[in-house]
Amino acid sequence: MKNTLIIGAGGVGGVVVHKCVMNKAVFGTITLASRRLESCQKIADQLPAGAIGIAQVNADHTDEVIALIQKTKADIVINVALPYQDLAIMDACIATKTPYLDTANYEHPDLAKFEYKEQWARHEAFQKAGVMALLGSGFDPGATNVFCAYAQKHYFDTIETIDILDCNGGDHGYAFATNFNPEINLREVSANGRYWENGKWVETKPMEIHFTWDYPEVGEKESYLLYHEEMESLVKHIKGLKRIRFFMTFGPSYLKHMEVLQNVGMLGIEPVEHKGQKIIPIEFLKTLLPDPASLGPRTVGKTNIGIVAEGMKDGKRRKIYLYQVKDHQECYREVKSQAVSYTTGVPAMIGAMLMLQGAWSGQGVFNMEQMNPDPFMDALNAHGLPWQMVELA
Ligand SMILES: NC(=O)c1ccc[n+]([C@@H]2O[C@H](COP(=O)([O-])OP(=O)(O)OC[C@H]3O[C@@H](n4cnc5c(N)ncnc54)[C@H](OP(=O)(O)O)[C@@H]3O)[C@@H](O)[C@H]2O)c1
């Protein structure tokens, strides 16, 4: 019987817990830990009594995580807290020789920048500990990385270009709200854009490059070029790639709010003095905005996330679109969450399942596309995220 420790009782954490409980034969005894015990209790209350154990932990402190891993005898740690906690939790896993999985790469709280450098730097330490760390097992990063690996394995000899297309066609009825942690989301979309072409990164102004794409089951949406973390590992691992870009859809109301908030300084990450107290504008904004976990019951519509890949197969040019569509209300009925948390939490559960079952194994730090994509793609179909592939040319 395995022991599973999940850290972070937010929107994504809730989905991971529900899905692990549905697959208890794999996950065994499940403990959910978070900074506030009441966040864990809220999720535990959605489940049959005794389905999970709960614990309080401040995951910024490696020693607290070590103590919890030892107490729960965890066979795996699923980190769905915030990116700020990644390194402290990874270090606790190294110290206790425990496999590790997360869904987002490390961010320093004081720098609006994210990169894999510090997590990749722990490769040798994980090798020495003899265990695996799997980075970015959400949807994007996560399923999108596996889509690329699957396309590489089954549909192409060489992939030349990839566009990752992320559309949330959901409507929550608020003028402005974010679908996952507002601080992380707003930092991501207000930063300069960046894509990779002919061996180097090309920087763009925020929202400078955009185009209209017709998303199956959602419709036409304006899609904006952003920098997104999975590109950093994909350019290393997809051989022969000439260009990779990432696009996300935003509605006019979201963009107008973003512009105003940016102009008045509400997206700032530097502390400002307010009536004798120091406050960080973006943290204060988070307090004002709806909690993403509360959007579940009111969000209608669908998400559609996928990749368009173009390259050569058997001497012929080929272009494919591999995508996944998920309905917000269907997710809410199943696990009391909207589709953005669902599409992140299910791949986290699947990655952990493949690690516990030994289908995905290794010693060191790995990104998703380094693993055999086949069992992951089968598991997406089996656990609520069926995908489709269409030929575009
Ligand atoms: N790859 C993808 O596709 C994808 C998509 C969306 C999100 N994500 C990532 O998923 C993660 C979770 O996102 P979310 O939307 O669920 O965020 P969220 O709703 O804000 O939840 C984060 C949870 O982390 C907990 N936490 C924060 N600091 C902590 C600490 N020091 N120690 C222990 N727990 C702490 C919070 O705890 P309390 O409630 O107890 O205070 C909160 O419940 C983030 O890293 C996000 O970037 C990935």
Side-chain angles (χ1 to χ4, degrees):
M1 181 81 146
K2 301 283 187 194
N3 295 304
T4 299
L5 173 59
I6 301 162
I7 302 182
V12 177
V15 177
V16 175
V17 169
H18 276 268
K19 284 293 190 176
C20 288
V21 169
M22 288 175 198
N23 294 280
K24 226 171 165 12
V26 175
F27 292 97
T29 304
I30 299 160
T31 306
L32 172 64
S34 204
R35 188 173 43 186
R36 292 176 299 156
L37 202 59
E38 69 250 38
S39 304
C40 304
Q41 191 60 54
K42 246 193 233 164
I43 294 171
D45 289 345
Q46 298 168 358
L47 295 158
I52 60 165
I54 59 172
Q56 194 278 327
V57 72
N58 184 343
D60 289 325
H61 303 309
T62 299
D63 52 343
E64 285 192 32
V65 182
I66 291 176
L68 186 61
I69 292 174
Q70 287 167 339
K71 189 171 166 211
T72 57
K73 299 189 173 55
D75 294 293
I76 190 163
V77 176
I78 303 176
N79 168 19
V80 278
L82 296 178
Y84 313 134
Q85 280 81 51
D86 286 1
L87 300 183
I89 301 176
M90 287 180 90
D91 289 342
C93 287
I94 293 166
T96 54
K97 300 183 173 26
T98 310
Y100 167 91
L101 175 149
D102 67 31
T103 66
N105 74 3
Y106 173 68
E107 273 185 66
H108 192 284
D110 304 330
L111 282 174
K113 178 178 181 187
F114 40 97
E115 58 186 1
Y116 281 119
K117 193 168 82 188
E118 281 150 298
Q119 291 179 281
W120 284 342
R122 282 158 171 78
H123 182 64
E124 265 183 35
F126 270 93
Q127 271 184 327
K128 276 197 194 124
V131 291
M132 174 175 178
L134 183 63
L135 306 184
S137 190
F139 207 98
D140 47 343
T144 49
N145 300 57
V146 180
F147 284 1
C148 294
Y150 192 81
Q152 169 89 86
K153 183 171 175 183
H154 296 284
Y155 305 136
F156 291 98
D157 296 324
T158 328
I159 302 182
E160 292 170 4
T161 64
I162 295 173
D163 282 338
I164 300 168
L165 302 174
D166 178 335
C167 166
N168 179 7
D171 181 5
H172 44 57
Y174 288 116
F176 186 72
T178 62
N179 291 290
F180 65 96
N181 185 282
E183 207 183 319
I184 304 296
N185 185 214
L186 295 171
R187 278 166 63 140
E188 179 176 276
V189 303
S190 59
N192 276 347
R194 205 167 6 135
Y195 64 98
W196 190 85
E197 191 164 38
N198 297 326
K200 52 180 198 298
W201 292 103
V202 182
E203 192 148 305
T204 67
K205 297 216 166 59
M207 313 291 170
E208 186 185 337
I209 297 180
H210 53 102
F211 74 107
T212 311
W213 183 257
D214 192 359
Y215 292 88
E217 298 186 47
V218 176
E220 286 195 352
K221 293 272 174 193
E222 207 56 17
S223 308
Y224 295 82
L225 187 143
L226 298 183
Y227 177 68
H228 221 243
E229 64 201 59
E230 63 264 52
M231 292 192 287
E232 189 185 0
S233 67
L234 285 166
V235 298
K236 275 178 62 160
H237 299 130
I238 303 292
K239 301 294 172 209
L241 197 57
K242 291 188 180 139
R243 190 189 70 201
I244 183 165
R245 307 182 296 184
F246 180 97
F247 292 87
M248 193 179 270
T249 61
F250 297 103
S253 169
Y254 185 96
L255 291 178
K256 196 205 281 166
H257 279 79
M258 280 287 295
E259 190 186 349
V260 174
L261 291 168
Q262 177 99 329
N263 285 345
V264 298
M266 279 302 284
L267 302 183
I269 61 171
E270 295 294 331
V272 294
E273 193 84 17
H274 175 70
K275 295 192 174 174
Q277 270 196 324
K278 286 218 181 301
I279 58 165
I280 295 176
I282 200 165
E283 283 182 3
F284 176 63
L285 177 62
K286 181 183 178 223
T287 308
L288 298 178
L289 290 176
D291 174 4
S294 71
L295 300 178
R298 44 187 298 150
T299 306
V300 293
K302 293 179 181 179
T303 58
N304 178 329
I305 314 174
I307 64 159
V308 172
E310 188 168 354
M312 300 301 285
K313 177 73 176 170
D314 299 331
K316 288 196 192 120
R317 185 147 289 278
R318 187 178 201 190
K319 191 173 182 183
I320 62 139
Y321 185 22
L322 214 168
Y323 63 88
Q324 200 290 320
V325 178
K326 196 68 199 173
D327 182 90
H328 283 284
Q329 283 297 303
E330 192 187 312
C331 299
Y332 190 71
R333 283 192 294 276
E334 187 191 330
V335 297
K336 303 249 177 308
S337 129
Q338 31 80 2
V340 175
S341 302
Y342 188 96
T343 53
T344 309
V346 171
M349 180 280 288
I350 293 173
M353 174 184 268
L354 296 178
M355 286 168 73
L356 285 173
Q357 291 173 330
W360 279 7
S361 61
Q363 296 181 353
V365 175
F366 299 91
N367 292 90
M368 303 288 284
E369 67 275 14
Q370 292 174 274
M371 299 289 124
N372 173 10
D374 297 352
F376 187 94
M377 295 295 278
D378 290 343
L380 284 177
N381 283 327
H383 294 282
L385 295 177
W387 50 272
Q388 312 201 38
M389 193 283 270
V390 290
E391 298 277 352
L392 294 183

